[in-house]
Amino acid sequence: MKQTWRWFGPRDLVSIDDICQAGAHGVVSALHHIASGAVWTPDEIAKRHREIATMQDGSPSGLTWDVVESLPVSEAIKRQVGPWRDHIAAYKESLRNLADSGIRIVCYNFMPVLDWTRTHLNWRLSNGATCMRFDLTDFVAFDLFILARPGAEKDYPTETITAAKARFAEMPAARREELERTVAFGLPGSVENLSLEDLRGLLATYAEIDADTLRANLVAFLEEVVPVAREVGIRMCCHPDDPPFALLGLPRIMSTEADYAFVMKAVDIPENGITLCSGSLGVHPGNDLPGMMKRWGERVHFIHLRNTTRESAGLPCSFHEAEHLGGDTDMVALIEQILREEARRKAAGRDDWNIPMRPDHGQDILDDLNRKGQPGYPAIGRLKGLAELRGVMTALSARLDQLAE
């Protein structure tokens, strides 16, 4: 696997110098300051390439921009309303501009309204580290009593509502405000951070859109853009829902292996592929990550390696971000399947045999706790995760080489 690192641009407190010292070989980035539906121009793309290629003292970093995460799909495209056809045209132009700059992998998602969703950005663990967490009771309290979404009570069993009511009654005002900010949290540099009123308005626009409609809109989007991606040499890969279950009455359509199977078969072109995020998919107890990699590896274009621990049974559930080799996903078994897929590709002469991977998320440890960087993306916590994953990769590679002899 090519070891990469997510970077949010010049405002990221983790610098290009830090990424070099972590030992990553490539960078995953995006132009978060450009609104969804707008064209990524050659000038803006070239500027990001230069930023990644240059250390703080002006010397070459040796790093390359290998993966775009994400080229966002607008809400208009997801709902097929307003200027959605113009936005698809802009998406195609952005793909062509990215390809001209040397980009070959574009990650995107089709989650309506919200990207990843958590209730805690800095939840304290017993060892003093902090991590991101989704607490179901807190989330239901937000839905019912802060957002006050009409009809929300129909989505939850009585015992969950009772627990949320009790939790909210004892929740200090500061925690209520923190919970509101956390649920609508955006990425650094984004132009689309949401207020509570923004969120209510966007949810209302999905009142008539169910999972079947959203899935059909995804297929229609891919039918338009994947042929362009194939033409210009870009592999597209859809990130799973995070978390992999319905929230706020919104449909979720990329949460399971069956969801991916449907979309891969609906647009059966090799460039229509998968971002295998072991953290997002791993929250769903029905997802077998090593098995999914074995069955669908030829369509996996990008990999996020992280782990989560489910705190309750069933779905929806509470969970938190675990250490990379902890949690509910068997990371060693998953990495073995990834390495086997890479070996198959190399033997077949595929030029994409070296699949880019990044250590996704991470717990805040040591000086991360003082740095106050992007939640989920600490410098030292991700470095620890990358070192652990690199060790597994090295050991398994040696063993697989021995077996092949």
Side-chain angles (χ1 to χ4, degrees), residues 110 218 238-241 252-256 259-260 263 281:
F110 220 75
L218 169 57
C238 189
H239 189 284
D241 302 325
R252 294 287 217 189
I253 59 169
M254 297 301 286
S255 296
T256 66
D259 291 333
Y260 275 97
V263 172
L281 291 167

Side-chain angles (χ1 to χ4, degrees), residues 155-220:
D155 291 346
Y156 307 109
T158 302
E159 58 270 22
T160 302
I161 294 175
T162 300
K165 186 177 296 185
R167 177 75 57 83
F168 187 74
E170 63 185 22
M171 191 179 290
R175 171 56 187 155
R176 295 180 183 183
E177 293 173 1
E178 178 190 36
L179 181 58
E180 177 183 331
R181 291 193 305 270
T182 300
V183 172
F185 187 79
L187 296 174
S190 172
V191 297
E192 297 175 348
N193 294 329
L194 301 177
S195 69
L196 207 59
E197 284 306 309
D198 292 334
L199 182 55
R200 291 189 182 107
L202 285 168
L203 291 176
T205 67
Y206 277 86
E208 304 301 322
I209 296 180
D210 60 11
D212 288 340
T213 301
L214 186 63
R215 188 176 294 109
N217 292 352
L218 169 57
V219 170

